[in-house]
């Protein structure tokens, strides 16, 4: 084990708390870490980041709820039968959300793979062993063309072919004995001709299981209850985004037979497609506890805090000549207050990239939303920021640094 002379006290946070609990109970006392809280990021030379982006995996999603961290530490001290734990936690989550069954997965992407595998293989031991070889099995997944997205790779992992359709009539025609599943991307709802309700109805009419990916669709918290009971045969949410569970955990909700099949294809079941996506006992319970904490939160208070953050940053930059601030809430997915700061490049000769680079210069670095689309008008550039993943005190730092970034422009 690595020795360290470092006596730096890690800022008291949830992770530091967990390390403390662990250190008092571990049987291995050879490490200095048992008596000293190590500043791992400083040791590694990896800069900490102020998250003004949102729940992006590239900046590690969200910060776990302290209760989830405590659950992780607690479970780390016990052995259990993995299947027993999966079953008990799944039953508890299903009851809480009012769906038939549930399982903790290694993230929403893992849930996509396991749910698809369940639709293909059911409980056939032979089919489970053979995946991703789908010879002779159902191996087509129907999706609306406008719902194609990078994460559908997790569905394609199961050796299926994506069949793209645009209308209900096309969808009906596409269904055949090889159809395993119909996939719906919740955040693409505005883009597709077939909306969620009709999609579910079509699935039932045609006898094909439907799966909705709602990974980043809480808040609003209601979405989780609504989608759990929406008639989709399978639903997934990320655990490590708005729910603030472990970053590599997620939820698979839905029909009992499909959830049972999904469980047979991961965890301790070695000869299965999902074995590389097993979830540890710590994460299984951590996920459950994070979900309970999320459902019980004062969501209105969260919202007020995000609005305060918008006000703090706006106040710091709105009087700079050429600058305009605009608050917005995305219409679907990540439905939380964001701030768009636009500047006139004649008055402030700066590009988006220059401001982004400026905000990354100091420690902690500040990460803002990547903007690839068109700018609000000719001669204008902008940055966008999400408020909900900033910790107390950080909006003030962002306000000061953003003001300095904009002031750094050589006045035109
Ligand atoms: C983030 C995301 C995923 C992947 O979620 P993980 O929990 O990180 O595996 C899948 N689908 C959508 C739409 C997402 O936004």
């Amino acid at each position: 084990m690595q020795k360290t002379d470092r006596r730096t006290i890690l800022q008291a946070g949830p992770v530091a708390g967990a390390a403390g609990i662990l250190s008092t109970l571990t049987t291995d006392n050879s490490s200095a870490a048992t008596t000293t809280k190590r500043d791992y990021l400083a040791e590694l030379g990896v800069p900490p980041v102020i998250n003004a982006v949102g729940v992006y995996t590239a900046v590690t999603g969200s910060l776990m709820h302290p209760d989830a961290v405590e659950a992780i530490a607690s479970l780390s001290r016990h052995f259990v039968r993995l299947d027993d734990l999966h079953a008990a936690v799944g039953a508890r989550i299903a009851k809480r959300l009012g769906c038939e069954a549930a399982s903790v997965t290694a993230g929403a992407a893992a849930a996509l793979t396991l749910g698809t595998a369940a639709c293909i293989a059911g409980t056939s031991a032979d089919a489970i062993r053979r995946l991703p070889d789908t010879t002779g099995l159902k191996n087509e997944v129907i999706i609306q063309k406008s719902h194609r997205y990078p994460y559908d790779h997790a569905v394609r992992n199961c050796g299926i072919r994506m069949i793209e359709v645009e209308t209900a009539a096309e969808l009906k025609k596409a269904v055949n004995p090889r159809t395993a599943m119909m996939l719906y991307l919740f955040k693409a709802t505005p883009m597709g001709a077939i909306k969620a309700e009709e999609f579910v109805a079509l699935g039932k009419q045609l006898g094909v299981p439907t799966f909705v990916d709602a990974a980043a669709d809480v808040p609003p918290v209601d979405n989780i209850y609504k989608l759990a009971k929406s008639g989709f045969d399978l639903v997934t949410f990320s655990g490590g985004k708005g729910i603030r569970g472990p970053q590599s955990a997620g939820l698979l909700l839905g029909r009992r037979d499909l959830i049972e099949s999904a469980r047979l294809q991961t965890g301790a079941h070695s000869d299965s497609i999902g074995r590389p996506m097993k979830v540890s006992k710590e994460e299984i319970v951590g996920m459950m506890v994070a979900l309970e904490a999320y459902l019980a939160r004062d969501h209105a208070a969260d919202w007020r805090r995000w609005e305060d953050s918008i006000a703090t940053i706006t106040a710091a930059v709105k009087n700079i000549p050429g600058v305009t601030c605009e608050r917005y809430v995305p219409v679907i997915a990540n439905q939380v207050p964001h701030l768009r700061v636009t500047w006139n490049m004649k008055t402030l000769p700066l590009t988006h990239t220059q401001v982004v680079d400026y905000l990354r210069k100091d420690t902690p670095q500040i990460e803002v939303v990547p903007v690839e689309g068109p700018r609000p008008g000719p001669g204008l550039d902008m940055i966008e920021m999400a408020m909900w993943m900033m910790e107390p005190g950080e909006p003030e730092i962002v306000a000061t640094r953003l003001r300095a970034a904009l002031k750094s422009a050589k006045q035109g």
Side-chain angles (χ1 to χ4, degrees), residues 55-57 105-112 149-152 154 185-187 213-217 236-241 246-251 333-334:
V55 289
Y56 279 55
T57 297
T105 62
L112 289 171
Y149 66 130
Y151 291 107
D152 69 38
L185 175 59
F186 194 66
K187 74 170 179 188
D213 178 352
D217 292 295
T236 184
F237 285 94
S238 268
K241 292 183 177 170
Q247 194 12 221
S248 38
L251 296 172
N334 301 306

Side-chain angles (χ1 to χ4, degrees), residues 329-368:
V329 176
V331 286
I332 194 157
N334 301 306
Q335 284 181 61
V336 287
H338 284 61
L339 179 62
R340 179 178 299 127
V341 177
T342 305
W343 59 91
N344 184 325
M345 294 171 82
K346 263 219 183 88
T347 324
L348 291 176
L350 278 175
T351 62
H352 167 82
T353 309
Q354 283 173 318
V355 173
V356 166
D357 288 346
Y358 191 100
L359 294 173
R360 283 177 182 161
K361 251 183 1 188
D362 290 335
T363 304
Q365 301 191 350
I366 297 169
E367 209 53 44
V368 299

Side-chain angles (χ1 to χ4, degrees), residues 17-19 21-22 25 67-78 282:
I21 294 161
L22 281 172
L25 287 150
D67 291 358
V69 178
E70 201 182 293
I72 286 171
S74 169
L75 263 292
S76 77
R77 300 191 287 270
H78 303 281
E282 292 87 354

Side-chain angles (χ1 to χ4, degrees), residues 172-194:
K172 283 185 191 166
K173 249 177 61 189
V175 170
N176 69 73
R178 287 183 308 279
T179 307
M181 189 180 92
M182 290 161 49
L183 178 62
Y184 190 94
L185 175 59
F186 194 66
K187 74 170 179 188
T189 295
M191 269 95 78
I194 313 167

Side-chain angles (χ1 to χ4, degrees), residues 46-61 313 328 337-339 352-372 382-391 394-395 397-399 401-402 405:
V46 174
V49 166
I50 290 179
N51 181 351
V53 191
V55 289
Y56 279 55
T57 297
V59 294
T60 65
I313 301 172
Y328 69 98
H338 284 61
L339 179 62
H352 167 82
T353 309
Q354 283 173 318
V355 173
V356 166
D357 288 346
Y358 191 100
L359 294 173
R360 283 177 182 161
K361 251 183 1 188
D362 290 335
T363 304
Q365 301 191 350
I366 297 169
E367 209 53 44
V368 299
V369 180
V371 176
E372 279 133 24
M382 64 176 185
I383 61 160
E384 295 181 334
M385 288 165 283
M387 302 298 122
W388 61 319
M389 288 297 132
M390 279 190 264
E391 290 288 285
E394 291 181 345
I397 298 172
V398 171
R401 300 258 298 277
L402 179 59

